[in-house]
Amino acid sequence: MPIKAIVTDIEGTTSAVSFVFDVLFPFARAHLPAFVRDHGDEAEVAEQIAAVRRESGEPDADIERVVEILLDWIAADRKATPLKALQGMVWAQGYRAGQLKGHVYPDAVQALRRWHDQGYALYVYSSGSVQAQKLIFGCAEVGDLTPLFCGYFDTGSGHKREAESYVRIAASIGLPAAEILFLSDVVEELDAARAAGMHTCGLARDGGELPGHTVVDSFAAIDPAGY
């Protein structure tokens, strides 16, 4: 069955891990406390604050304790959905203000544009929130790349190392898993996608192996028609 859709990870795949860890995370850590304090009464923010209280098991946490919990989660790189949502809001402010520009590797930009023109349906699956994904691609250094994509998936679809998450994504896309190619730099994610029936290709930009999967060091080496 020919490939009809391509789902790509972001960190280490389309974009440098260093951009997330050296730029985005420090920006969120620096600006999130004031953002939560200043906007905590707004419905969208209040909803996420309530989710932090539920997930932390501290329903009576005051706003300063919520801030402390969020900073602890950032330090631990915890994939908590309310943290990701709040980080996305903080990053949105930074992008709008021109303080942030999304990093996407040139070879990824070229390939995504080529695949879009060739008729492949393109999707993103990242542990970062859908909002954060749209910001990275929408405010990329090369301009707005969001018109290339048909949809975005985050931890709302499940954890990236669980096959069931990819089953849900295939169902949402509306294609058999065998017609979808998944790209990532993490072998456990590739294993999960393959277990769900997807084709896989691993990105190892600095060399190395992702056992059991085709591995390339650039998007330029990926030919979806070859699967």
Side-chain angles (χ1 to χ4, degrees):
M1 301 173 73
I3 296 297
K4 294 182 179 177
I6 301 169
V7 179
T8 183
D9 171 50
I10 294 179
E11 296 176 29
T13 305
T14 65
S15 307
V17 173
S18 61
F19 172 68
V20 176
F21 285 93
D22 297 343
V23 178
L24 290 183
F25 282 179
F27 188 91
R29 187 166 54 247
H31 293 85
L32 190 144
F35 179 85
V36 171
R37 295 184 188 111
D38 294 344
H39 300 275
D41 292 335
E42 298 173 11
E44 187 179 24
V45 179
E47 179 183 353
Q48 299 306 326
I49 290 173
V52 171
R53 291 181 174 125
R54 287 194 302 271
E55 188 158 335
S56 64
E58 299 187 32
D60 299 321
D62 63 16
I63 199 69
E64 293 306 318
R65 175 57 185 152
V66 168
V67 167
E68 185 179 344
I69 291 168
L70 288 167
L71 292 176
D72 287 344
W73 285 355
I74 290 175
D77 190 26
R78 180 166 171 172
K79 311 298 185 185
T81 299
L83 169 63
K84 297 298 182 181
L86 289 167
Q87 284 177 321
M89 296 176 200
V90 171
W91 292 329
Q93 282 194 334
Y95 283 112
R96 284 196 298 267
Q99 297 169 286
L100 295 171
K101 290 289 184 182
H103 173 267
V104 184
Y105 286 113
D107 59 273
V109 172
Q110 293 166 8
L112 291 167
R113 285 174 171 162
R114 181 172 67 254
W115 296 337
H116 177 267
D117 291 344
Q118 291 172 342
Y120 292 101
L122 305 180
Y123 297 84
V124 178
Y125 181 30
S126 172
S127 57
S129 68
V130 166
Q131 180 188 23
Q133 297 171 29
K134 290 180 178 179
L135 288 168
I136 285 179
F137 290 109
C139 300
E141 295 162 343
V142 296
D144 184 4
L145 298 174
T146 57
L148 301 178
F149 296 100
C150 296
Y152 305 82
F153 301 97
D154 59 15
T155 52
S157 297
H159 293 291
K160 296 185 70 182
R161 302 186 181 197
E162 297 177 358
E164 186 60 32
S165 304
Y166 299 86
V167 172
R168 293 190 194 100
I169 287 172
S172 180
I173 291 173
L175 289 174
E179 294 182 359
I180 301 172
L181 172 63
F182 176 65
L183 313 177
S184 176
D185 66 321
V186 178
V187 69
E188 292 87 354
E189 296 175 4
L190 296 165
D191 289 344
R194 173 166 287 175
M198 292 184 183
H199 292 276
T200 59
C201 182
L203 272 293
R205 290 184 173 276
D206 297 321
E209 298 181 355
L210 296 166
H213 304 275
T214 299
V215 179
V216 298
D217 62 3
S218 166
F219 269 62
I222 301 171
D223 178 12
Y227 288 84

